[in-house]
Amino acid sequence: MNKFDFGIVGLGVMGRNLLLNIASHNFAAAGLDLDTEKVNSLQQEAGPDHTIEATTDVKHFVELIQQPRAIMLLVPAGKPVDSAIASLLPHLDKGDIIIDGGNTYFTDTDRRFLELSAKGIHFFGMGISGGEKGARFGPAMMPGGDQKAYERLRPIFEAIAAKVDGEPCVEYLGNGSAGNYVKMVHNGIEYGIMQLISEIYDLMKRGYNLDEDTIQKTFEEWNQTNDLKSYLIEITGKILKEKDEDGSRLINKISDWAKSKGTGKWTSQNAMDLQVPVPTIDAAVVMRDMSKTKPERIEAATKLVWNVAEKNTNTTEAIEALKSALYFSIIVTYAQGLAQLHTASKEYNYGLNLETVAKIWRGGCIIRANALEDFRKAFAAKKDLPNLLLDAGIASKLTQNQAGTRAVIQFAVQQGLPAAGLMNSLAYFDAYRSENLPTNLIQAQRDYFGAHTYERIDKTGVFHTQWSE
């Protein structure tokens, strides 16, 4: 008893694999699940090579773990988290640590942080990215909570995390719900990049009429380039290569009715609360919602017609332009998410270091990409950089890929193909680089119909005009 280094509640896919990962790094790990089958399955999988004990008994589970106890919850977000905490509390002592490793909305983490702090229990909200394989062999982890209590967790987390250049993809991020918030924005960026890739795929297929082999090999080749090498590009190449039982491409038999779990929506909603523009992420959320209108789209396709003009395609030039557009838009999407983190850190007193965030995201997580090293360097050079687009190196790369991006978007418009992610990325870029926006007219309109006042560029103060009818 009291000999185990770490405990996990919830032995589903993520919990089981994280427990095995921990044990593989020579830590003794205890598991708790109310499902006897999951407990027995884990014990069998662990075998004699891992120091693992799993149980269905809460009291016994808690007694296994050395003090101060470190216990991670890997249960569905919402009420199951509160229920798990309630079942543990009678058996815990002051100084023990509970970590929520699920995709929990950050305000719930703030509430639990305060409630448990009052009882002398440390609470962490920790985003984990990398899926089943990452959990087993090295995820990216984003912990937030009490910094002193993190020292109890550090050796285990650094051992099991993914590594890039020998550096673990985990580090203490900040106060309260900082970890859950960073994971939420990570997922928002993930939504954006997935949308962009799908639009480029659609333009290749329906726009430029490229054959399936060319499309698949293009993504495969792009993943070998410094600019686009990333996990999501990598798996796209693999997905497009997969064959169904009859030998045809599996991708062509998959429904376009996309699902979501809500983290992208949370990112958009909170960005609006903070008044931080993230239009590419917004577009990605909207297009998943649009995918659910399938019956209406089938009918609309026969009524909302656009006569596409004849086109002569130079395949080499088209692929080069598509590559530019994808790279450009992916960088802009990261910039939007990181700008949201910059503002949220100040609003919620997280104390985030965005160089650290970029460093964690370089490996293990779904949005890992070569480009994150450029972002890390940008934030290392200027710690309080409000937006990646202001970094000279990033700005130069965007400028170089501007022409191809504009050409691809013009082509999409001419072909009548939806490209909301690409278009919103370019619109964001053009708005951000505009010293003057036409919102002076909006100021005047608001004052005209609602006496909401406005500011002037030639005088200080707040003004109202009695507009002539």
Side-chain angles (χ1 to χ4, degrees):
M1 308 299 266
N2 300 125
K3 298 289 186 182
F4 285 73
D5 301 295
F6 198 82
I8 288 181
V9 177
L11 302 180
V13 172
M14 290 294 288
R16 184 182 75 251
N17 280 290
L18 271 173
L19 210 63
L20 289 166
N21 188 354
I22 291 166
S24 296
H25 286 86
N26 301 316
F27 294 99
L32 172 69
D33 202 291
L34 301 181
D35 186 333
T36 304
E37 188 176 329
K38 288 180 180 177
V39 168
N40 294 337
S41 174
L42 175 64
Q43 290 285 182
Q44 290 173 8
E45 190 173 356
D49 298 330
H50 298 97
T51 307
I52 286 177
E53 183 168 339
T55 179
T56 59
D57 185 288
V58 177
K59 186 174 184 291
H60 178 63
F61 166 75
V62 173
E63 289 174 345
L64 287 171
I65 304 163
Q66 62 178 264
Q67 294 175 289
R69 300 178 183 91
I71 298 173
M72 182 185 291
L73 311 179
L74 282 164
V75 298
K79 290 182 180 179
V81 175
D82 290 316
S83 297
I85 291 171
S87 70
L88 292 169
L89 274 177
H91 311 289
L92 298 180
D93 296 302
K94 288 186 177 180
D96 287 348
I97 304 166
I98 297 176
I99 309 112
D100 178 9
N103 279 329
T104 291
Y105 192 55
F106 73 99
T107 55
D108 287 337
T109 297
D110 286 329
R111 170 178 58 80
R112 292 170 185 139
F113 181 88
L114 292 173
E115 290 172 355
L116 291 170
S117 293
K119 301 177 187 295
I121 305 296
H122 301 292
F123 187 72
F124 276 76
M126 184 169 79
I128 303 174
S129 182
E132 178 181 359
K133 187 175 180 181
R136 181 65 184 87
F137 299 107
M141 296 183 288
M142 297 150 252
D146 182 86
Q147 189 164 13
K148 290 181 180 178
Y150 181 68
E151 293 308 310
R152 164 72 171 85
L153 311 173
R154 183 192 297 276
I156 297 172
F157 288 171
E158 290 186 351
I160 68 171
K163 308 293 189 300
V164 174
D165 298 331
E167 295 180 314
C169 295
V170 61
E171 196 166 327
Y172 173 79
L173 285 175
N175 305 314
S177 59
N180 282 132
Y181 193 94
V182 169
K183 177 58 162 54
M184 178 186 77
V185 173
H186 163 287
N187 285 22
I189 294 170
E190 178 185 305
Y191 270 59
I193 295 173
M194 291 169 72
Q195 177 63 29
L196 293 168
I197 293 172
S198 74
E199 290 176 9
I200 293 293
Y201 160 74
D202 192 33
L203 285 165
M204 287 179 172
K205 187 173 183 178
R206 291 199 293 160
Y208 292 105
N209 295 320
L210 302 183
D211 64 85
E212 292 181 328
D213 284 342
T214 299
I215 295 172
Q216 187 276 324
K217 287 176 183 176
T218 297
F219 279 103
E220 209 169 58
E221 289 167 5
W222 282 353
N223 191 52
Q224 303 306 312
T225 66
N226 189 54
D227 287 346
L228 285 178
K229 186 174 179 59
S230 63
Y231 175 72
L232 285 170
I233 298 291
E234 176 189 345
I235 67 168
T236 300
K238 292 178 178 179
I239 288 166
L240 296 177
K241 200 171 191 175
E242 192 73 19
K243 299 288 181 67
D244 198 13
E245 295 173 353
D246 62 2
S248 64
R249 305 267 178 171
L250 177 59
I251 188 65
N252 296 324
K253 295 184 178 178
I254 296 176
S255 165
D256 67 347
W257 192 315
K259 296 179 176 62
S260 61
K261 289 190 174 180
T263 47
K265 180 182 71 176
W266 292 348
T267 305
S268 288
Q269 287 175 329
N270 184 252
M272 290 185 183
D273 291 339
L274 295 174
Q275 298 183 344
V276 177
V278 292
T280 309
I281 296 170
D282 296 339
V285 175
V286 167
M287 292 308 291
R288 289 207 195 182
D289 292 340
M290 180 65 81
S291 79
K292 297 175 176 65
T293 66
K294 182 71 170 182
E296 297 167 49
R297 289 188 285 119
I298 291 171
E299 182 180 353
T302 65
K303 295 179 177 178
L304 307 177
V305 179
W306 169 250
N307 295 317
V308 178
E310 291 278 335
K311 60 184 182 297
N312 295 314
T313 301
N314 181 310
T315 301
T316 303
E317 290 179 1
I319 289 174
E320 194 58 36
L322 288 164
K323 181 186 176 188
S324 288
L326 183 56
Y327 176 72
F328 177 98
S329 300
I330 286 174
I331 298 304
V332 169
T333 305
Y334 278 111
Q336 292 170 21
L338 288 161
Q340 181 171 347
L341 289 179
H342 174 84
T343 299
S345 181
K346 295 179 178 179
E347 179 71 19
Y348 304 128
N349 193 33
Y350 288 149
L352 293 176
N353 181 330
L354 294 186
E355 181 191 357
T356 300
V357 173
K359 186 171 76 169
I360 291 172
W361 287 352
R362 290 180 306 168
C365 71
I366 303 302
I367 63 170
R368 62 184 183 265
N370 268 18
L372 279 153
E373 177 60 17
D374 294 332
F375 306 161
R376 187 198 66 76
K377 290 176 180 177
F379 289 116
K382 188 174 182 181
K383 185 177 179 181
D384 202 39
L385 184 69
N387 195 305
L388 274 175
L389 273 59
L390 296 177
D391 176 78
I394 301 296
S396 175
K397 290 184 177 183
L398 289 171
T399 301
Q400 291 167 22
N401 288 278
Q402 228 183 127
T405 305
R406 295 184 190 280
V408 165
I409 290 172
Q410 287 172 353
F411 177 79
V413 172
Q414 291 163 357
Q415 295 299 305
L417 294 175
L422 295 166
M423 290 176 178
N424 276 280
S425 298
L426 182 60
Y428 178 89
F429 174 84
D430 282 337
Y432 196 73
R433 69 184 188 85
S434 295
E435 185 176 346
N436 293 300
L437 291 170
T439 37
N440 57 331
L441 179 56
I442 294 172
Q443 285 258 65
Q445 289 169 334
R446 292 182 74 249
D447 190 58
Y448 188 108
F449 63 70
H452 293 299
T453 72
Y454 56 87
E455 293 79 29
R456 296 176 62 113
I457 60 174
D458 57 343
K459 302 176 185 177
T460 58
V462 177
F463 299 87
H464 168 61
T465 293
Q466 291 295 331
W467 300 90
S468 301
E469 289 290 344

